[in-house]
Amino acid sequence: MLSQLREIVEQVSKVDEVHQALDILVKQTCSAMDTECCTVYLANEEMQRLELMATQGLRFKGDKIHIGFNEGLVGLVKRSAEPLNLAEASKHPNFKYFSVLGEELYQSFLGTPIIYRKQVLGVLVVQQKTPRQFNEMEESFLVTLAAQLAVIIAHAQTQGHWRLEKKQQAIKGVPASSGVAIGELWWDDTQPDLAYVYPASTLDVEREQEWLLLAIEEALGDFRRMRKKLDSEINKDALAIFDLFTHLLNDPMLRKDLKAQIQKGDRADWALRQVVESYSNRFARMSDVYLRERAQDIRELGQRLLFFLHNTEQDRQVLDKPVILVVRELTASLLASVPKDMLLAVISLEGAANSHAAILSRALGIPAVMGANFNLKAVNGKQGIVDGYSGKIFVSPSRQLLREYRALADEERDLANMVNSRIEQPAFTKDGQRIEVMLNAGLSADTNIAINLGVDGVGLYRTEISFLLQHRFPSEEEQTQQYQAVLGSYPDKRVVMRTLDVGGDKALPYLPIEEDNPFLGWRGIRFTLDHPDIFLMQIRAMIRASAQHQNLSILLPMVSGAQELDDAIELIERAYHEVSEQDSRVKMPELGVMIEVPSMIYLLPLIADKVDFVSIGTNDLTQYLLAVDRNNARVADVYESLHPSVIMALRHIHQSCQQLNLPVCICGELAGDPIGALLMVGLGYRSLSMNTSNVAKVKYLLRHTEIDELRQLADKALMQAYGKGIYTMMQSFFEDKGFAGFIRAGNK
């Protein structure tokens, strides 16, 4: 039967039209199982019914025949998500007679659910006139066939086929930048693609070298122009991508590698592809999602160089009206090259929510959806809707859908104007409780004056990026200058700088580390304590940089025990004494520890006298508590930021810090999430550190809620056994308070 199974699946998978494919399935299944009837039903979740798609043996002539989820044996299989094997179906209490199907002819019934990733997509049934129990081998065959069919159906549905909903279907992608946009879909596929550069040699090495150098200079000029163009529109943190490109193009190591590849006899474009892929692969192997997606930035740099290598700088197609830009892979350069007033939204077939292009989209306030799956040529010029909250895209929407989304877009504009009008004011709850709102900074500190007015300082500045983007350890002087620029951007506000957090999943290009389990390996404080020279150099640079404004706090990552903390403190004190002997202005900075390893939750009473504050990294704390790799797609559904255990752990940490009189701040993604922020304040937290795009929203929400109601929500959350229950509870709260527009499109 195995060969028959394989043959059925193979034949079905080759056919695009749903009825034709399933007709083949039912006929072949009847033949393979030597039974008289086989039927396939697909689930229509919107209509809450199973629709008969194909049958061999029942009276089905193309009419719309359906069975409710709560009806009959087929409905029972859907609800229970388990096979049902009956010798005499009519005697079962759930049996229902459907005269239009001629089911009075059949007694034996074997039905199995068609399941894909926990979702029941439909039901596969075989029947026979004479009463008999189908044997184990037959049942196993049908279950296996249903599992194979589930994959085919799921794939077809992602391609926009085999859909049953009455409503117009959306193409689903990954929401990368919130917002709603309506307009014409437009794409430009005239640019050269690095992926299609193939091996090519040259006899004139010198000419190729000159060709490459000219392209590099033109690209540098292009990056400078684009940065200047966007400088007044968005914050410096998002603009850092162009600084990164400029830095890489000026890097002697990159130029040396490109030159060496050409010297081997490769043509410039082929040499470029090889070197770019080599660099990109270093980042792609990293487990950290943010850093792994820097591989895309390297590829974008290669694409831009290829653009100038082929001398294809020509006037782009002039846009006479705003469009929804559709691309295979969204890049920061491409995004910057389109006038902002001509850009309604962006859709990318590839990419992720943390790519630099996505970050830039959020900074520009442009809705973006990544990882969408459709035919570029088929949508060009058609009207479309982009829902950046849900990741839904509608092509050629109906008039009714257009009316709905136009109303949602109007509501969203009103909401944005409302929350941004008071961004500069301090964050207080409705009943007067002061909440500290800090900024998480990545590639560079955010020096946009509006955001400076809107935040109380920097709650987390990641120092590792400059280490990761070089081919050597940055010198103490280089680090000092960088840290001075950051601290100088917030002269009268606190800036918390996290010490070097590399190793394991964030291997330095010039110090590769191979580990089987990098998240539990040689990273964070473990790495720096094993390299005291690097650690001392960084701490000295931080303290030297703080001499003028004295607004530095130092944060230690990945600490799992008291001994690590003791060793780090000893080195920090040593660095301070070395710097203070040269500059009497410096003061010993406050020292904090990140709570991201669960062991530290229980050590807080024993280390409280060693530190001045603690910060909670909810992303890592969640993955360690739940034993789930947050970057592994197979277990993505297990990673829940609102998991009951996470909420309980956060309550425990806050209670401990309160008893110990120890300041505590939430600096993970949960702090900037509208739902997470209110829940954290309800748990007692009064300091939140978040990304730029969330500041105005969180402040508004805080101004319109009271501590008591947030505390009650937190108490209810602590009684929930499921993360979904907590989310549903918070969702209802947002709806009741009129905050729905913060978590979905529209504000009503």
Side-chain angles (χ1 to χ4, degrees):
M1 292 186 87
L2 187 61
S3 60
Q4 291 173 304
L5 177 67
R6 195 160 39 236
E7 187 178 340
I8 294 172
V9 172
E10 193 174 313
Q11 288 187 43
V12 172
S13 63
K14 289 178 180 178
V15 181
D16 290 331
E17 205 281 315
V18 57
H19 293 290
Q20 185 183 349
L22 295 181
D23 277 341
I24 293 171
L25 175 84
V26 294
K27 288 173 183 175
Q28 295 288 339
T29 303
C30 278
S31 176
M33 295 186 67
D34 192 24
T35 190
E36 296 155 319
C37 180
C38 178
T39 311
V40 178
Y41 301 86
L42 292 187
N44 185 328
E45 295 294 339
E46 184 202 346
M47 306 299 290
Q48 287 288 292
R49 69 191 190 189
L50 289 149
E51 298 185 1
L52 194 154
M53 301 301 292
T55 184
Q56 174 81 359
L58 296 181
R59 295 185 203 150
F60 178 55
K61 297 181 180 179
D63 299 300
K64 288 287 182 182
I65 297 172
H66 51 81
I67 297 173
F69 287 169
N70 294 317
E71 293 184 299
L73 300 176
V74 178
L76 177 61
V77 173
K78 165 68 171 76
R79 296 195 308 276
S80 66
E82 291 182 343
L84 182 63
N85 189 351
L86 302 171
E88 295 184 72
S90 60
K91 293 183 178 180
H92 193 280
N94 284 88
F95 177 80
K96 182 175 180 179
Y97 173 63
F98 294 95
S99 58
V100 292
L101 298 176
E103 285 196 304
E104 71 278 4
L105 298 174
Y106 301 101
Q107 282 296 325
S108 303
F109 178 97
L110 173 59
T112 187
I114 303 167
I115 301 176
Y116 184 77
R117 292 187 177 175
K118 299 181 182 179
Q119 183 181 359
V120 180
L121 303 180
V123 176
L124 177 60
V125 178
V126 292
Q127 293 170 278
Q128 199 161 313
K129 294 177 181 177
T130 56
R132 79 173 180 93
Q133 195 93 20
F134 288 94
N135 62 41
E136 286 185 9
M137 184 176 292
E138 289 171 320
E139 185 172 333
S140 176
F141 177 87
L142 200 68
V143 168
T144 306
L145 180 59
Q148 298 279 339
L149 181 60
V151 176
I152 296 171
I153 292 172
H155 176 71
Q157 290 183 344
T158 61
Q159 301 296 314
H161 309 305
W162 297 23
R163 296 190 179 276
L164 305 177
E165 286 82 355
K166 191 175 182 180
K167 280 186 179 178
Q168 181 166 359
Q169 268 304 301
I171 296 166
K172 192 75 169 69
V174 178
S177 179
S178 62
V180 171
I182 302 167
E184 185 179 309
L185 299 161
W186 180 84
W187 74 295
D188 177 12
D189 199 33
T190 62
Q191 306 309 314
D193 191 338
L194 200 64
Y196 295 107
V197 172
Y198 299 109
S201 58
T202 181
L203 296 175
D204 192 345
V205 171
E206 188 174 335
R207 176 182 171 280
E208 299 296 312
Q209 299 284 16
E210 290 177 2
W211 186 25
L212 178 66
L213 286 174
L214 181 61
I216 289 175
E217 291 307 312
E218 288 181 346
L220 283 168
D222 189 53
F223 292 140
R224 283 192 292 269
R225 285 192 298 274
M226 284 191 285
R227 194 192 194 289
K228 186 176 181 180
K229 172 188 168 186
L230 293 172
D231 190 55
S232 61
E233 296 183 26
I234 60 176
N235 59 74
K236 300 297 186 292
D237 199 40
L239 283 176
I241 183 60
F242 299 112
D243 296 333
L244 166 61
F245 287 158
T246 301
H247 169 81
L248 288 170
L249 285 179
N250 285 319
D251 191 294
M253 186 64 74
L254 176 63
R255 294 194 180 207
K256 179 184 174 184
D257 289 345
L258 286 167
K259 186 175 181 180
Q261 200 64 43
I262 293 174
Q263 206 66 40
K264 293 178 182 179
D266 290 339
R267 215 172 76 164
D269 51 358
W270 172 233
L272 174 65
R273 177 179 174 181
Q274 293 176 86
V275 173
V276 165
E277 288 183 348
S278 172
Y279 277 53
S280 173
N281 288 339
R282 294 180 190 176
F283 282 89
R285 286 193 295 268
M286 296 178 183
S287 298
D288 183 275
V289 124
Y290 181 84
L291 295 165
R292 189 169 67 238
E293 285 164 359
R294 300 291 69 77
Q296 183 177 327
D297 297 332
I298 303 297
R299 291 194 299 273
E300 177 179 348
L301 178 66
Q303 278 294 135
R304 206 64 189 162
L305 272 178
L306 182 67
F307 178 88
F308 290 109
L309 271 175
H310 283 263
N311 197 26
T312 54
E313 175 134 50
Q314 53 194 355
D315 290 337
R316 286 182 176 272
Q317 183 174 335
V318 178
L319 297 172
D320 56 2
K321 60 183 175 182
V323 296
I324 296 172
L325 178 66
V326 185
V327 293
R328 284 199 175 89
E329 183 173 23
L330 183 64
T331 65
S333 303
L334 179 59
L335 197 55
S337 68
V338 180
K340 185 184 175 185
D341 59 351
M342 290 291 166
L343 205 53
L344 298 171
V346 289
I347 301 169
S348 178
L349 271 65
E350 299 176 18
N354 290 320
S355 68
H356 244 113
I359 293 170
L360 193 55
S361 299
R362 290 194 287 271
L364 289 167
I366 297 168
V369 174
M370 317 293 276
N373 194 349
F374 55 65
N375 186 330
L376 282 172
K377 294 181 181 179
V379 302
N380 201 31
K382 293 183 178 178
Q383 191 170 38
I385 295 174
V386 174
D387 185 339
Y389 293 93
S390 65
K392 290 180 179 178
I393 303 159
F394 298 92
V395 179
S396 300
S398 64
R399 289 181 181 179
Q400 181 182 351
L401 202 59
L402 278 171
R403 282 196 299 270
E404 289 176 10
Y405 268 94
R406 280 179 181 140
L408 293 176
D410 290 341
E411 291 173 23
E412 187 187 51
R413 274 191 294 274
D414 293 341
L415 180 64
N417 292 334
M418 181 175 63
V419 300
N420 285 312
S421 63
R422 296 176 61 193
I423 189 174
E424 77 285 354
Q425 297 180 12
F428 283 92
T429 58
K430 194 175 179 180
D431 50 350
Q433 177 66 57
R434 178 74 162 93
I435 307 296
E436 187 178 52
V437 175
M438 308 282 278
L439 190 68
N440 287 345
L443 287 174
S444 66
D446 193 328
T447 55
N448 180 282
I449 188 65
I451 299 298
N452 276 343
L453 290 171
V455 298
D456 297 306
V458 176
L460 174 64
Y461 177 71
R462 306 173 182 92
T463 63
E464 61 268 13
I465 302 299
S466 62
F467 286 78
L468 289 158
L469 296 179
Q470 296 195 37
H471 295 279
R472 57 172 175 78
F473 287 104
S475 68
E476 186 171 328
E477 184 58 35
E478 287 173 326
Q479 291 184 61
T480 301
Q481 290 178 11
Q482 181 185 359
Y483 303 151
Q484 280 175 339
V486 176
L487 295 166
S489 298
Y490 301 83
D492 57 350
K493 295 178 179 178
R494 180 170 174 241
V495 176
V496 179
M497 290 189 170
R498 186 174 66 188
T499 60
L500 186 60
D501 188 13
V502 296
D505 63 316
K506 291 179 277 190
L508 296 169
Y510 40 89
L511 189 64
I513 301 166
E514 296 293 335
E515 291 183 299
D516 291 335
N517 206 338
F519 272 115
L520 303 179
W522 198 40
R523 58 174 298 205
I525 200 68
R526 300 169 184 176
F527 173 85
T528 46
L529 289 179
D530 281 352
H531 287 279
D533 51 336
I534 298 170
F535 190 62
L536 283 166
M537 188 186 297
Q538 183 180 38
I539 299 300
R540 283 197 301 266
M542 287 181 178
I543 296 174
R544 285 175 60 193
S546 70
Q548 182 178 355
H549 302 292
Q550 296 178 357
N551 55 342
L552 167 72
S553 293
I554 295 176
L555 182 62
L556 302 172
M558 193 62 185
V559 176
S560 60
Q563 189 59 56
E564 290 171 337
L565 182 58
D566 290 343
D567 294 344
I569 291 172
E570 184 180 343
L571 290 172
I572 291 169
E573 289 176 343
R574 176 178 159 187
Y576 167 70
H577 290 305
E578 291 174 1
V579 176
S580 62
E581 288 178 0
Q582 301 171 351
D583 190 341
S584 59
R585 295 177 300 166
V586 300
K587 292 183 178 179
M588 184 68 174
E590 288 192 339
L591 178 66
V593 63
M594 286 201 79
I595 306 299
E596 50 190 343
V597 180
S599 60
M600 292 304 292
I601 296 175
Y602 305 102
L603 286 180
L604 279 170
L606 305 177
I607 57 110
D609 60 338
K610 303 175 187 286
V611 295
D612 302 296
F613 67 97
V614 299
S615 291
I616 304 171
T618 56
N619 304 343
D620 273 336
L621 181 62
T622 299
Q623 78 166 345
Y624 291 138
L625 277 171
L626 304 183
V628 56
D629 179 355
R630 57 193 168 103
N631 301 316
N632 187 334
R634 291 184 179 180
V635 290
D637 59 332
V638 183
Y639 182 90
E640 288 184 284
S641 57
L642 294 181
H643 191 284
S645 295
V646 174
I647 305 302
M648 290 176 188
L650 291 171
R651 178 188 61 169
H652 182 89
I653 294 170
H654 177 264
Q655 288 178 338
S656 296
C657 290
Q658 197 171 37
Q659 291 168 5
L660 298 164
N661 198 27
L662 194 61
V664 58
C665 174
I666 300 266
C667 63
E669 288 296 311
L670 200 58
D673 175 73
I675 286 177
L678 294 191
L679 200 51
M680 294 305 98
V681 172
L683 285 173
Y685 289 94
R686 299 294 178 263
S687 181
L688 309 172
S689 189
M690 63 198 67
N691 295 324
T692 308
S693 58
N694 296 317
V695 172
K697 293 178 182 178
V698 169
K699 281 188 160 189
Y700 178 89
L701 290 170
L702 291 171
R703 291 190 191 105
H704 291 81
T705 51
E706 296 182 357
I707 291 295
D708 281 346
E709 61 184 338
L710 296 182
R711 190 180 293 121
Q712 289 173 21
L713 277 174
D715 289 342
K716 289 179 182 177
L718 290 164
M719 300 298 291
Q720 297 287 335
Y722 304 96
K724 186 177 180 180
I726 297 175
Y727 181 80
T728 301
M729 178 196 76
M730 293 301 295
Q731 196 175 28
S732 297
F733 174 77
F734 271 63
E735 294 281 354
D736 294 342
K737 293 285 289 185
F739 298 157
F742 291 87
I743 57 175
R744 62 160 171 79
N747 194 31
K748 292 180 181 176

